[in-house]
């Protein structure tokens, strides 16, 4: 089988600096989180605790991503509703002016018709509900008044919808803040544990990351074709990001979390997919067998669907794996994360 090695990162100097040591790379400010393998239940000590904290941060990250996506949509909806309400208010003001002209003409020609007095009152609905009053209006007046009433109702509905969306947005922003705080707390605890390690233990962690990076560079992917052109194109885009750092909540182009990488890659080929791994798990065509996957298929990992990457061929996944790591190829069997299913786009 042909061997495919990862392309050089866009900024070799930048990524070289990031690999100085895994301990330094994992010195995540509250900005770094990831999908880390499930810890081995037989493992003891600090490393197992760090693994668990990273896993918890990953789950919180995907929930944060979902809330962020919802907030973005709500903000757009609120903006659209407010702009529509402003236009309707302008139309309503124009119509009110036209009705005023009719009233002025009536007054000059012999006094203001009682019906027009009602028309220009604060409750035109009451006027329209009075059938006898309609007989006093000419056709033009009736049409104008009905339009006025309709636009008033539309405006009230738009404002009500905008208020409801604003309330939803407020709740979502509160959720965002809570998830952000949870992620930062998990990562801070992990960092504290890392800081408690001896120099020898930190060096071992750094060596482990270096071995993973070297293994990624030597990954043999085979030459199997993708199932669809869009999957092949998105996979090629993702390959260009190998070597860039994982940052929680990031969607590229210089850093990614797991679902940020997959959504960014499809976006490069004008294909829109959901932001979170859980949502991505329910799009496209489901592939239940690992052996049936083709390069470029999405691969959903963990029972809570909190991790996603690209199937790279020959049993490899291309993904953004964890804090302190970089986008890389990795053996699915050795990832420590259970395979759930694949998604073909």
């Amino acid at each position: 089988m042909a061997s495919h090695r990862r392309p050089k990162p866009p900024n070799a100097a930048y990524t070289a600096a990031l690999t100085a040591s895994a301990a330094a790379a994992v010195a995540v400010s509250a900005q770094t989180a990831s999908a880390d393998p499930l810890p081995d239940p037989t493992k003891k000590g600090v490393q197992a605790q760090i693994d668990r904290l990273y896993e918890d941060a990953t789950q919180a990250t995907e929930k944060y991503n979902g809330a962020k996506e919802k907030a973005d949509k709500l903000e757009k909806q609120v903006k659209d509703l407010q702009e529509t309400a402003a236009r309707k208010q302008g139309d309503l003001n124009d119509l009110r002016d036209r009705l005023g002209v009719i009233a002025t003409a009536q007054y000059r020609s012999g006094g203001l018709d009682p019906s027009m007095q009602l028309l220009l009152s604060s409750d035109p609905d009451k006027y329209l509900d009075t059938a006898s009053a309609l007989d006093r209006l000419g056709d033009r007046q009736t049409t104008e008044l009905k339009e006025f009433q309709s636009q008033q109702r539309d405006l009230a509905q738009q404002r009500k919808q905008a208020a409801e969306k604003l309330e939803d947005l407020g709740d979502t922003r509160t959720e965002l803040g809570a998830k952000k705080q949870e992620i930062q707390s998990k990562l801070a605890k992990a960092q504290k544990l890392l800081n408690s390690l001896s120099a020898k233990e930190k060096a071992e962690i750094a060596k482990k990351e270096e071995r993973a990076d070297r293994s990624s560079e030597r990954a043999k992917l085979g030459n199997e074709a993708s199932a669809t052109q869009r999957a092949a194109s998105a996979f090629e885009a993702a390959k260009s990001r190998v070597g860039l750092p994982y940052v929680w909540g990031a969607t590229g182009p210089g850093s990614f979390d797991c679902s940020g990488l997959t959504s960014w890659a499809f976006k490069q080929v004008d294909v829109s997919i959901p932001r979170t791994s859980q949502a991505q798990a329910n799009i496209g065509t489901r592939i239940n067998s690992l052996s049936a996957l083709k390069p470029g298929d999405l691969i959903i990992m963990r029972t809570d669907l909190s991790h996603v990457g690209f199937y790279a061929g020959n049993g490899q996944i291309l993904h953004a794996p964890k804090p302190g790591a970089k986008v890389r190829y990795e053996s699915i069997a050795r990832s420590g994360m259970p395979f759930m299913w694949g998604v073909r786009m």
Side-chain angles (χ1 to χ4, degrees):
M1 286 189 162
S3 175
H4 295 266
R5 301 181 185 275
R6 72 171 178 85
K8 292 294 183 183
N11 190 332
Y14 175 60
T15 51
L18 286 170
T19 57
S21 75
V26 180
V28 286
S29 62
Q31 296 286 320
T32 309
S34 155
D36 194 44
L38 288 169
D40 183 342
T42 64
K43 286 171 64 179
K44 304 294 182 182
V46 173
Q47 186 62 60
Q49 295 177 58
I50 292 171
D51 288 344
R52 176 58 63 183
L53 287 166
Y54 284 162
E55 181 193 351
D56 292 345
T58 296
Q59 294 169 339
T61 294
E62 287 305 293
K63 291 178 181 177
Y64 172 91
N65 290 338
K68 179 67 166 59
E69 184 177 39
K70 180 180 178 181
D72 291 344
K73 289 180 179 178
L74 283 170
E75 285 178 354
K76 185 179 185 306
Q77 290 172 351
V78 168
K79 181 180 178 182
D80 290 345
L81 285 167
Q82 289 176 335
E83 288 178 350
T84 300
R87 287 195 300 270
K88 287 187 178 297
Q89 183 64 66
D91 293 342
L92 199 61
N93 291 341
D94 291 342
L95 184 54
R96 190 187 298 274
D97 290 342
R98 292 201 301 272
L99 291 172
V101 169
I102 296 173
T104 300
Q106 285 189 350
Y107 179 78
R108 288 175 177 174
S109 64
L112 187 63
D113 190 292
S115 61
M116 284 302 297
Q117 294 178 30
L118 288 173
L119 168 63
L120 297 176
S121 72
S122 61
D123 190 4
D125 285 347
K126 180 179 179 181
Y127 172 78
L128 280 180
D129 291 338
T130 307
S132 60
L134 287 174
D135 294 334
R136 303 174 187 174
L137 292 173
D139 290 340
R140 181 186 174 192
Q141 291 170 290
T142 303
T143 300
E144 296 278 16
L145 181 55
K146 287 182 177 179
E147 184 180 351
F148 184 85
Q149 181 195 39
S150 176
Q151 289 195 20
Q152 270 197 325
R153 288 172 174 169
D154 288 347
L155 178 59
Q157 181 65 25
Q158 291 289 328
R159 287 175 172 167
K160 179 181 178 183
Q161 289 177 2
E164 291 172 349
K165 294 294 183 183
L166 277 170
E167 184 176 354
D168 289 344
L169 179 57
D171 293 341
T172 303
R173 283 174 173 164
T174 298
E175 181 184 357
L176 268 177
K179 291 304 174 189
K180 181 176 181 179
Q181 185 176 12
E182 180 181 355
I183 294 165
Q184 291 174 336
S185 175
K186 299 295 183 184
L187 296 176
K189 289 178 181 178
Q191 184 59 51
K192 185 176 181 179
L193 288 171
L194 283 167
N195 291 341
S196 73
L197 296 176
S198 67
K200 181 179 179 180
E201 289 170 324
K202 291 177 182 178
E204 284 299 317
I205 292 176
K207 289 179 181 178
K208 183 179 179 181
E209 285 302 308
E210 290 169 1
R211 287 194 297 269
D213 291 340
R214 288 196 299 271
S215 178
S216 176
E217 292 175 356
R218 298 191 300 265
K220 295 181 178 180
L221 308 179
N223 56 7
E224 188 175 12
S226 299
T228 67
Q229 183 56 52
R230 63 170 56 180
S233 299
F235 183 40
E236 285 299 318
K239 287 180 181 180
S240 72
R241 303 295 94 181
V242 170
L244 294 180
Y246 183 103
V247 174
W248 71 267
T251 57
S255 59
F256 303 87
D257 62 20
C258 67
S259 57
L261 174 65
T262 50
S263 59
W264 176 88
F266 274 101
K267 185 178 181 180
Q268 304 318 295
V269 295
D270 297 323
V271 177
S272 178
I273 66 173
R275 173 64 178 89
T276 68
S277 58
Q278 289 91 346
Q280 291 176 19
N282 293 304
I283 60 175
T285 301
R286 183 172 296 190
I287 309 297
N288 291 315
S289 172
L290 187 59
S291 62
L293 292 176
K294 302 290 184 182
D297 289 340
L298 294 178
I299 182 167
I300 308 300
M301 311 289 280
R302 292 184 171 163
T303 55
D304 65 352
L305 315 180
S306 63
H307 190 67
V308 63
F310 282 100
Y311 181 67
N314 198 30
Q316 300 280 318
I317 182 174
L318 171 57
H319 64 158
K322 64 180 181 179
K326 295 174 288 186
V327 176
R328 67 192 183 201
Y329 299 101
E330 197 164 28
S331 167
I332 296 170
R334 296 179 182 177
S335 70
M337 292 180 282
F339 165 75
M340 301 310 295
W341 59 77
V343 172
R344 181 163 297 161
M345 295 295 294

